[in-house]
Amino acid sequence: MIRVVVDREVCMSAGVCEMEAPEVFELDADGVLHVGEPTDLTAVETAVRACPTGALTLVDED
C-alpha cells in the first residue's frame, strides 16, 4: 500500500498537488492540506514531483 506523507512544516499550500490529483489532495479554506487514499498512482506521483517545496513523500508500506 502506498501512503502520502506531508511535511506540514514545509508545505506552503500552493495547491499544485490538488491540481494534479484532486481526488486525493484537498486544501481547506484555511490552507490545510488533506490527503485521501491514493487511487490513481500515476497522478499522485506527478503531484508529489510537482510540489514546489518538496513537502510530499510517497511511502510504500508493503
Side-chain angles (χ1 to χ4, degrees):
M1 183 167 111
I2 300 294
R3 183 171 61 96
V4 179
V5 176
V6 181
D7 183 339
R8 301 213 182 267
E9 298 281 324
V10 176
C11 179
M12 66 179 206
S13 303
V16 175
C17 57
E18 187 177 36
M19 288 186 286
E20 294 293 337
E23 67 282 351
V24 177
F25 301 99
E26 180 181 357
L27 285 169
D28 68 18
D30 294 322
V32 176
L33 181 63
H34 299 274
V35 181
E37 186 70 30
T39 53
D40 180 353
L41 190 55
T42 301
V44 171
E45 288 172 336
T46 300
V48 168
R49 282 192 307 274
C51 178
T53 62
L56 303 174
T57 306
L58 288 178
V59 176
D60 188 353
E61 294 186 329
D62 287 335

